[in-house]
Coordinates of all heavy atoms in Angstrom, one line a residue:
M1 N 81.8 40.0 157.4 CA 82.7 39.2 156.7 C 83.7 40.0 155.8 O 84.8 39.7 155.9 CB 81.9 38.3 155.9 CG 82.7 37.2 155.1 SD 83.7 36.2 156.1 CE 85.1 36.0 155.2
D2 N 83.1 41.0 155.2 CA 84.1 41.9 154.5 C 85.0 42.5 155.3 O 86.2 42.7 154.9 CB 83.2 43.0 153.8 CG 83.4 43.1 152.3 OD1 83.9 42.1 151.8 OD2 83.1 44.2 151.8
Y3 N 84.8 43.1 156.5 CA 85.6 43.7 157.5 C 86.8 42.7 157.7 O 88.0 43.1 157.7 CB 84.8 44.1 158.8 CG 85.9 44.5 159.7 CD1 86.5 45.8 159.8 CD2 86.2 43.7 160.8 CE1 87.5 46.2 160.7 CE2 87.3 44.1 161.7 CZ 87.8 45.4 161.7 OH 88.7 45.7 162.5
Y4 N 86.4 41.4 158.1 CA 87.5 40.5 158.5 C 88.4 40.3 157.3 O 89.7 40.3 157.5 CB 86.8 39.2 158.8 CG 87.9 38.1 159.2 CD1 88.7 38.2 160.4 CD2 88.2 37.1 158.4 CE1 89.6 37.4 160.7 CE2 89.2 36.2 158.7 CZ 89.9 36.3 159.9 OH 90.9 35.4 160.2
S5 N 88.0 40.2 156.0 CA 88.9 39.9 154.9 C 89.7 41.1 154.7 O 91.0 40.9 154.5 CB 88.0 39.7 153.6 OG 87.2 38.6 153.7
K6 N 89.3 42.4 154.8 CA 90.1 43.5 154.7 C 91.1 43.6 155.8 O 92.2 44.1 155.5 CB 89.2 44.7 154.7 CG 88.4 44.8 153.4 CD 87.5 46.0 153.4 CE 86.5 46.1 152.1 NZ 85.6 47.2 152.1
A7 N 90.7 43.4 157.0 CA 91.6 43.4 158.2 C 92.6 42.4 158.0 O 93.8 42.7 158.3 CB 90.8 43.1 159.4
R8 N 92.4 41.2 157.5 CA 93.5 40.2 157.3 C 94.3 40.6 156.3 O 95.6 40.3 156.3 CB 92.7 38.8 156.9 CG 92.0 38.2 158.0 CD 92.9 37.7 159.1 NE 93.8 36.6 158.7 CZ 94.6 35.9 159.5 NH1 94.7 36.2 160.7 NH2 95.2 34.9 159.0
K9 N 94.0 41.3 155.2 CA 94.8 41.7 154.1 C 95.7 42.9 154.7 O 96.9 42.9 154.4 CB 94.1 42.2 153.0 CG 93.4 41.1 152.1 CD 92.6 41.5 151.0 CE 92.0 40.5 150.2 NZ 91.1 40.9 149.2
A10 N 95.1 43.8 155.4 CA 95.9 44.9 156.0 C 97.0 44.3 157.0 O 98.1 44.8 157.1 CB 95.1 45.9 156.6
N11 N 96.6 43.5 157.9 CA 97.4 42.9 158.9 C 97.1 41.5 159.1 O 96.1 40.9 159.7 CB 97.1 43.6 160.2 CG 97.9 43.2 161.4 OD1 98.7 42.3 161.2 ND2 97.7 43.7 162.6
P12 N 97.9 40.5 158.4 CA 97.7 39.1 158.4 C 97.7 38.5 159.8 O 97.2 37.4 160.0 CB 98.8 38.6 157.5 CG 99.3 39.7 156.7 CD 99.0 40.9 157.6
K13 N 98.3 39.2 160.8 CA 98.3 38.6 162.1 C 97.1 39.0 163.0 O 97.1 38.5 164.0 CB 99.7 39.2 162.9 CG 100.9 38.6 162.3 CD 102.1 39.0 162.9 CE 103.3 38.5 162.3 NZ 104.5 38.7 163.0
K14 N 96.2 39.7 162.3 CA 95.0 40.0 163.0 C 94.2 38.7 163.3 O 94.0 38.0 162.3 CB 94.2 41.1 162.3 CG 93.0 41.6 162.9 CD 93.2 43.0 163.0 CE 92.0 43.7 163.7 NZ 92.2 44.8 164.4
S15 N 93.8 38.6 164.4 CA 93.0 37.3 164.7 C 91.5 37.5 164.7 O 91.0 38.6 164.6 CB 93.4 36.9 166.3 OG 92.7 37.8 167.1
I16 N 90.8 36.4 164.5 CA 89.3 36.3 164.5 C 89.0 37.1 165.8 O 87.9 37.8 165.7 CB 88.8 35.0 164.3 CG1 89.2 34.5 162.9 CG2 87.4 34.9 164.6 CD1 88.8 33.1 162.8
K17 N 89.6 36.6 166.9 CA 89.1 37.3 168.1 C 89.2 38.8 168.2 O 88.2 39.4 168.6 CB 89.8 36.7 169.3 CG 89.4 36.8 170.6 CD 90.1 36.1 171.7 CE 89.2 35.9 172.9 NZ 89.8 34.9 173.8
G18 N 90.3 39.3 167.6 CA 90.5 40.7 167.5 C 89.4 41.5 166.6 O 88.9 42.5 167.0
C19 N 89.2 40.8 165.5 CA 88.2 41.4 164.6 C 86.9 41.3 165.1 O 86.0 42.2 165.1 CB 88.3 40.6 163.3 SG 89.7 40.7 162.3
A20 N 86.6 40.2 165.8 CA 85.2 40.0 166.4 C 85.1 41.0 167.6 O 84.0 41.7 167.6 CB 85.0 38.7 167.0
A21 N 86.0 41.3 168.3 CA 85.9 42.3 169.4 C 85.6 43.7 168.8 O 84.8 44.5 169.2 CB 87.1 42.3 170.2
K22 N 86.4 44.0 167.7 CA 86.2 45.4 167.0 C 84.7 45.5 166.5 O 84.2 46.5 166.5 CB 87.1 45.4 165.9 CG 87.2 46.8 165.3 CD 88.5 47.3 164.9 CE 88.3 48.6 164.1 NZ 89.3 49.7 164.7
L23 N 84.3 44.4 166.0 CA 82.8 44.4 165.4 C 81.8 44.3 166.6 O 80.5 44.5 166.3 CB 82.7 43.2 164.5 CG 83.5 43.3 163.2 CD1 83.3 41.9 162.4 CD2 82.8 44.3 162.2
G24 N 82.2 43.9 167.7 CA 81.2 43.9 168.8 C 80.5 42.5 168.8 O 79.3 42.5 169.3
I25 N 81.0 41.4 168.3 CA 80.3 40.2 168.2 C 81.3 39.1 168.8 O 82.5 39.3 169.0 CB 80.0 39.7 166.8 CG1 81.2 39.7 165.8 CG2 79.0 40.7 166.2 CD1 81.0 39.1 164.5
N26 N 80.6 37.9 169.1 CA 81.4 36.7 169.6 C 82.4 36.2 168.5 O 82.0 36.1 167.3 CB 80.3 35.8 170.0 CG 80.9 34.5 170.7 OD1 81.9 33.9 170.1 ND2 80.4 34.3 171.8
D27 N 83.5 35.8 168.9 CA 84.5 35.3 168.1 C 84.1 34.0 167.3 O 84.3 33.7 166.2 CB 85.8 35.1 168.6 CG 85.9 34.3 169.9 OD1 84.9 34.2 170.5 OD2 86.9 33.6 170.1
K28 N 83.3 33.1 168.1 CA 82.7 31.9 167.5 C 81.8 32.2 166.3 O 81.8 31.6 165.3 CB 82.0 31.1 168.6 CG 81.3 29.9 168.0 CD 81.6 28.7 168.7 CE 80.8 27.5 168.3 NZ 80.7 27.2 166.9
T29 N 81.0 33.3 166.5 CA 80.0 33.7 165.5 C 80.8 34.2 164.3 O 80.4 33.6 163.2 CB 79.2 34.9 166.0 OG1 78.4 34.4 167.2 CG2 78.2 35.2 164.9
L30 N 81.7 34.9 164.5 CA 82.6 35.4 163.2 C 83.2 34.2 162.6 O 83.2 34.0 161.3 CB 83.6 36.4 163.7 CG 84.5 36.9 162.6 CD1 83.6 37.5 161.5 CD2 85.4 38.0 163.0
N31 N 83.8 33.3 163.4 CA 84.3 32.0 162.8 C 83.4 31.2 162.0 O 83.7 30.8 160.9 CB 85.0 31.3 163.9 CG 86.0 30.1 163.4 OD1 86.9 30.4 162.6 ND2 85.7 29.0 163.8
D32 N 82.2 31.1 162.5 CA 81.2 30.3 162.0 C 80.8 30.9 160.6 O 80.6 30.3 159.5 CB 79.9 30.1 162.8 CG 80.2 29.2 163.9 OD1 81.1 28.5 163.9 OD2 79.3 29.2 164.9
W33 N 80.8 32.3 160.6 CA 80.4 33.0 159.3 C 81.5 32.8 158.3 O 81.2 32.7 157.1 CB 80.2 34.5 159.7 CG 79.0 34.9 160.4 CD1 78.0 34.1 160.7 CD2 78.8 36.2 161.0 NE1 77.0 34.8 161.4 CE2 77.5 36.1 161.6 CE3 79.4 37.3 161.0 CZ2 77.0 37.2 162.2 CZ3 78.9 38.4 161.7 CH2 77.7 38.4 162.3
I34 N 82.7 32.8 158.7 CA 83.9 32.6 157.9 C 83.8 31.3 157.2 O 84.0 31.1 155.9 CB 85.2 33.0 158.5 CG1 85.3 34.4 158.9 CG2 86.4 32.4 157.7 CD1 86.5 34.7 159.9
I35 N 83.6 30.3 158.1 CA 83.5 28.9 157.5 C 82.3 28.8 156.6 O 82.5 28.2 155.5 CB 83.3 27.9 158.7 CG1 84.7 27.9 159.5 CG2 83.0 26.5 158.1 CD1 84.6 27.1 160.9
K36 N 81.2 29.3 156.9 CA 79.9 29.3 156.0 C 80.3 29.9 154.6 O 80.0 29.5 153.6 CB 78.9 29.8 156.7 CG 77.5 29.7 155.9 CD 76.4 30.2 156.7 CE 75.1 30.1 155.9 NZ 74.0 30.6 156.7
H37 N 80.9 31.1 154.8 CA 81.2 31.9 153.5 C 82.3 31.2 152.7 O 82.0 31.1 151.4 CB 81.8 33.3 154.0 CG 82.3 34.0 152.7 ND1 81.4 34.7 151.9 CD2 83.5 34.3 152.2 CE1 82.1 35.3 150.9 NE2 83.3 35.2 151.1
S38 N 83.3 30.5 153.3 CA 84.3 29.8 152.5 C 83.5 28.6 151.6 O 83.8 28.3 150.5 CB 85.4 29.5 153.3 OG 85.0 28.4 154.2
K39 N 82.7 27.8 152.4 CA 81.9 26.7 151.7 C 81.1 27.3 150.7 O 80.9 26.7 149.6 CB 81.2 26.0 152.8 CG 82.1 25.2 153.8 CD 81.1 24.5 154.8 CE 82.0 23.7 155.8 NZ 81.1 23.1 156.8
T40 N 80.3 28.3 150.9 CA 79.3 28.9 149.9 C 80.2 29.3 148.7 O 79.6 29.1 147.6 CB 78.5 30.0 150.6 OG1 77.9 29.6 151.8 CG2 77.5 30.6 149.6
K41 N 81.3 29.9 148.9 CA 82.0 30.5 147.7 C 82.5 29.3 146.9 O 82.4 29.5 145.7 CB 83.2 31.3 148.2 CG 84.0 32.0 147.2 CD 85.1 32.8 147.9 CE 85.9 33.6 146.8 NZ 86.9 34.4 147.4
R42 N 82.9 28.2 147.5 CA 83.4 27.0 146.8 C 82.2 26.4 146.0 O 82.4 26.1 144.8 CB 83.9 26.0 147.7 CG 85.5 26.2 148.1 CD 86.0 24.9 148.7 NE 85.2 24.6 149.8 CZ 85.6 24.8 151.2 NH1 86.8 25.4 151.4 NH2 84.9 24.4 152.1
V43 N 81.1 26.2 146.6 CA 79.9 25.8 145.9 C 79.4 26.7 144.8 O 79.1 26.2 143.7 CB 78.7 25.5 147.0 CG1 77.4 25.3 146.2 CG2 79.0 24.5 147.9
T44 N 79.5 27.9 145.1 CA 79.1 28.9 144.0 C 80.0 28.8 142.7 O 79.7 28.8 141.7 CB 79.1 30.3 144.6 OG1 78.2 30.4 145.6 CG2 78.7 31.3 143.5
Q45 N 81.4 28.7 143.0 CA 82.3 28.6 141.9 C 82.1 27.3 141.1 O 82.1 27.3 139.9 CB 83.7 28.6 142.5 CG 84.8 28.7 141.4 CD 84.6 29.9 140.5 OE1 84.3 30.9 140.9 NE2 84.9 29.7 139.3
E46 N 81.8 26.2 141.9 CA 81.5 24.9 141.1 C 80.2 25.0 140.2 O 80.2 24.5 139.1 CB 81.3 23.8 142.2 CG 82.5 23.4 143.0 CD 82.4 22.4 144.0 OE1 81.2 22.0 144.3 OE2 83.3 22.2 144.7
R47 N 79.3 25.8 140.8 CA 78.0 25.9 140.1 C 78.2 26.7 138.8 O 77.7 26.4 137.8 CB 77.0 26.5 141.0 CG 76.5 25.7 142.0 CD 75.0 25.3 141.9 NE 74.6 24.2 142.8 CZ 73.8 24.3 143.7 NH1 73.1 25.5 143.9 NH2 73.5 23.3 144.6
I48 N 79.1 27.7 138.9 CA 79.4 28.6 137.7 C 80.0 27.7 136.8 O 79.7 27.8 135.5 CB 80.4 29.8 138.2 CG1 79.5 30.8 139.1 CG2 80.9 30.5 137.0 CD1 80.4 31.8 139.8
E49 N 81.0 26.9 137.1 CA 81.7 26.0 136.2 C 80.6 25.0 135.6 O 80.7 24.8 134.3 CB 82.8 25.2 136.7 CG 84.0 26.1 137.2 CD 84.5 26.8 136.0 OE1 84.7 26.3 135.0 OE2 84.9 28.0 136.3
E50 N 79.7 24.5 136.3 CA 78.7 23.6 135.7 C 77.8 24.3 134.8 O 77.5 23.8 133.7 CB 77.9 23.1 136.9 CG 78.5 22.0 137.7 CD 77.7 21.6 138.9 OE1 76.6 22.1 139.1 OE2 78.2 20.7 139.7
H51 N 77.5 25.6 135.0 CA 76.6 26.3 134.1 C 77.3 26.7 132.8 O 76.8 26.6 131.7 CB 76.1 27.5 134.8 CG 75.0 27.4 135.8 ND1 73.7 27.1 135.3 CD2 74.9 27.3 137.2 CE1 73.0 27.0 136.4 NE2 73.7 27.1 137.5
K52 N 78.6 26.9 133.0 CA 79.4 27.2 131.7 C 79.5 25.9 130.9 O 79.3 26.0 129.7 CB 80.8 27.6 132.0 CG 80.9 29.0 132.6 CD 82.4 29.3 132.9 CE 82.6 30.7 133.5 NZ 84.0 30.9 133.8
Q53 N 79.7 24.7 131.5 CA 79.7 23.4 130.7 C 78.3 23.1 130.2 O 78.2 22.8 129.0 CB 80.1 22.4 131.6 CG 81.4 22.4 132.0 CD 81.9 21.2 133.0 OE1 81.1 20.6 133.5 NE2 83.1 21.2 133.2
L54 N 77.2 23.5 130.9 CA 75.9 23.2 130.4 C 75.5 24.1 129.3 O 74.9 23.6 128.3 CB 74.9 23.4 131.6 CG 73.4 23.0 131.4 CD1 73.3 21.6 130.9 CD2 72.5 23.3 132.5
D55 N 76.0 25.3 129.4 CA 75.7 26.3 128.3 C 76.5 25.8 127.0 O 75.9 25.9 125.8 CB 76.2 27.7 128.5 CG 75.3 28.4 129.6 OD1 74.2 28.0 129.7 OD2 75.7 29.4 130.1
A56 N 77.7 25.4 127.1 CA 78.5 24.9 126.0 C 77.8 23.7 125.3 O 77.5 23.6 124.1 CB 79.8 24.4 126.3
V57 N 77.2 22.6 126.2 CA 76.6 21.6 125.7 C 75.3 21.9 125.0 O 74.9 21.4 123.9 CB 76.2 20.5 126.8 CG1 75.4 19.5 126.4 CG2 77.6 20.0 127.3
N58 N 74.6 22.9 125.5 CA 73.3 23.3 124.9 C 73.5 23.9 123.6 O 72.8 23.8 122.6 CB 72.4 24.2 125.9 CG 71.8 23.5 127.0 OD1 71.4 22.4 126.7 ND2 71.6 24.1 128.1
R59 N 74.5 24.8 123.4 CA 75.0 25.3 122.3 C 75.3 24.3 121.2 O 74.9 24.4 119.9 CB 76.2 26.4 122.4 CG 75.9 27.7 122.9 CD 77.0 28.6 122.7 NE 78.2 28.3 123.4 CZ 78.4 28.5 124.7 NH1 77.6 29.1 125.3 NH2 79.7 28.1 125.1
R60 N 76.0 23.2 121.5 CA 76.4 22.2 120.7 C 75.2 21.4 120.1 O 75.1 21.2 119.1 CB 77.4 21.4 121.4 CG 77.9 20.2 120.4 CD 78.6 20.7 119.2 NE 79.1 19.7 118.4 CZ 79.3 19.7 117.0 NH1 79.0 20.8 116.4 NH2 79.6 18.6 116.4
I61 N 74.3 21.1 121.2 CA 73.0 20.5 120.8 C 72.3 21.2 119.7 O 71.6 20.8 118.8 CB 72.2 20.2 122.1 CG1 72.7 19.2 122.9 CG2 70.8 19.8 121.7 CD1 72.2 19.0 124.2
H62 N 72.1 22.6 120.0 CA 71.4 23.5 119.0 C 72.1 23.5 117.7 O 71.4 23.4 116.6 CB 71.4 24.9 119.6 CG 70.7 25.8 118.7 ND1 69.4 25.9 118.6 CD2 71.2 26.8 117.9 CE1 69.0 26.9 117.7 NE2 70.1 27.5 117.3
E63 N 73.4 23.5 117.7 CA 74.1 23.5 116.3 C 73.8 22.2 115.6 O 73.5 22.1 114.4 CB 75.6 23.5 116.6 CG 76.1 24.9 116.9 CD 77.6 24.8 117.4 OE1 78.3 23.8 117.2 OE2 78.1 25.9 117.9
L64 N 73.9 21.0 116.3 CA 73.5 19.7 115.8 C 72.2 19.6 115.2 O 71.9 19.0 114.1 CB 73.8 18.5 116.7 CG 75.5 18.4 117.2 CD1 75.6 17.4 118.2 CD2 76.3 18.1 115.9
E65 N 71.3 20.1 116.1 CA 69.8 20.1 115.7 C 69.6 20.9 114.4 O 68.9 20.5 113.5 CB 68.9 20.6 116.7 CG 68.8 19.6 117.9 CD 68.0 20.1 119.1 OE1 67.8 21.4 119.2 OE2 67.6 19.3 119.9
S66 N 70.3 22.0 114.3 CA 70.2 22.8 113.0 C 70.7 22.2 111.8 O 70.2 22.1 110.8 CB 70.9 24.2 113.3 OG 70.2 24.9 114.3
E67 N 71.8 21.6 112.1 CA 72.5 20.8 110.9 C 71.6 19.7 110.6 O 71.5 19.4 109.4 CB 73.8 20.3 111.3 CG 75.0 21.3 111.5 CD 76.2 20.8 112.1 OE1 76.5 19.6 111.9 OE2 77.1 21.6 112.6
N68 N 71.1 19.0 111.5 CA 70.3 17.9 111.2 C 69.0 18.3 110.4 O 68.5 17.6 109.5 CB 69.9 17.2 112.6 CG 69.4 15.7 112.3 OD1 69.7 15.2 111.3 ND2 68.8 15.1 113.4
K69 N 68.4 19.3 110.9 CA 67.2 19.8 110.2 C 67.5 20.3 108.7 O 66.8 19.9 107.8 CB 66.7 21.1 110.9 CG 65.3 21.6 110.5 CD 64.9 22.8 111.4 CE 63.6 23.4 110.8 NZ 63.1 24.5 111.7
F70 N 68.7 20.9 108.5 CA 69.1 21.3 107.2 C 69.3 20.0 106.3 O 68.9 19.9 105.2 CB 70.4 22.1 107.3 CG 70.9 22.5 105.9 CD1 70.4 23.5 105.2 CD2 72.0 21.7 105.5 CE1 70.9 23.7 104.0 CE2 72.6 22.0 104.2 CZ 72.1 23.0 103.5
L71 N 69.9 19.0 106.9 CA 70.3 17.9 106.1 C 69.0 17.0 105.8 O 69.0 16.2 104.8 CB 71.2 16.9 106.8 CG 72.7 17.7 106.9 CD1 73.5 16.7 107.9 CD2 73.3 17.7 105.5
K72 N 68.0 17.2 106.6 CA 66.8 16.4 106.3 C 65.8 17.0 105.3 O 65.0 16.3 104.7 CB 66.0 16.3 107.7 CG 66.4 15.3 108.7 CD 65.5 15.2 109.8 CE 66.1 14.1 110.8 NZ 65.2 14.0 112.0
K73 N 66.1 18.3 105.1 CA 65.2 19.0 104.0 C 65.7 18.3 102.7 O 66.9 18.2 102.4 CB 65.5 20.5 103.9 CG 65.0 21.2 105.2 CD 65.2 22.6 105.0 CE 64.5 23.5 106.1 NZ 64.9 24.8 106.1
R74 N 64.7 18.1 101.9 CA 65.0 17.6 100.6 C 65.3 18.7 99.6 O 64.5 19.7 99.5 CB 63.8 16.8 100.0 CG 63.5 15.5 100.6 CD 62.4 14.8 100.1 NE 62.3 13.5 100.6 CZ 61.5 12.5 100.3 NH1 60.7 12.6 99.2 NH2 61.3 11.4 101.0
Q75 N 66.3 18.5 98.9 CA 66.8 19.6 98.0 C 66.4 19.2 96.5 O 66.4 17.9 96.1 CB 68.2 20.0 98.1 CG 68.5 20.4 99.4 CD 70.1 20.7 99.6 OE1 70.9 20.4 98.7 NE2 70.5 21.4 100.6
P76 N 65.9 20.1 95.6 CA 65.4 19.7 94.4 C 66.5 19.0 93.4 O 66.1 18.2 92.7 CB 65.2 21.1 93.6 CG 65.0 22.1 94.8 CD 65.8 21.5 95.8
S77 N 67.8 19.1 93.8 CA 68.8 18.4 92.9 C 69.1 17.1 93.4 O 69.8 16.3 92.9 CB 70.0 19.2 92.9 OG 70.5 19.4 94.2
S78 N 68.5 16.7 94.6 CA 68.8 15.4 95.3 C 68.1 14.2 94.5 O 67.0 14.5 94.0 CB 68.6 15.4 96.7 OG 67.2 15.5 96.9
P79 N 68.5 13.1 94.4 CA 67.9 12.0 93.7 C 66.6 11.6 94.4 O 65.7 11.2 93.7 CB 68.9 10.8 93.9 CG 70.2 11.4 94.2 CD 69.9 12.6 94.9
E80 N 66.5 11.8 95.8 CA 65.3 11.4 96.5 C 64.1 12.4 96.0 O 63.0 11.9 96.0 CB 65.4 11.5 98.0 CG 66.4 10.4 98.5 CD 66.4 10.5 100.1 OE1 65.9 11.5 100.6 OE2 67.2 9.7 100.6
A81 N 64.5 13.6 95.7 CA 63.4 14.6 95.4 C 62.8 14.3 94.1 O 61.7 14.7 93.8 CB 64.0 16.0 95.5
S82 N 63.6 13.7 93.1 CA 63.1 13.7 91.8 C 62.3 12.3 91.6 O 61.7 12.2 90.7 CB 64.3 13.7 90.9 OG 65.1 12.6 91.0
G83 N 62.5 11.4 92.6 CA 62.0 10.0 92.4 C 60.6 9.8 93.1 O 59.7 9.3 92.9

């Protein structure tokens, strides 16, 4: 797969068939690999974005839980603590 990407950048007119021949594999096999790689790359990018969002949400939950814990503590100067 790496070879094909580099070959396409060096010579955009290079065909899958030409690259496959140079690699000594069937052109359908190379084409299938390219399709699979492009799908996997998209899924991976989507997962990375999901993880970033999940991390942000988890950080916010932690902040809110910390604030909530702090606010629940009774402080000596509060009316509830003296009564």
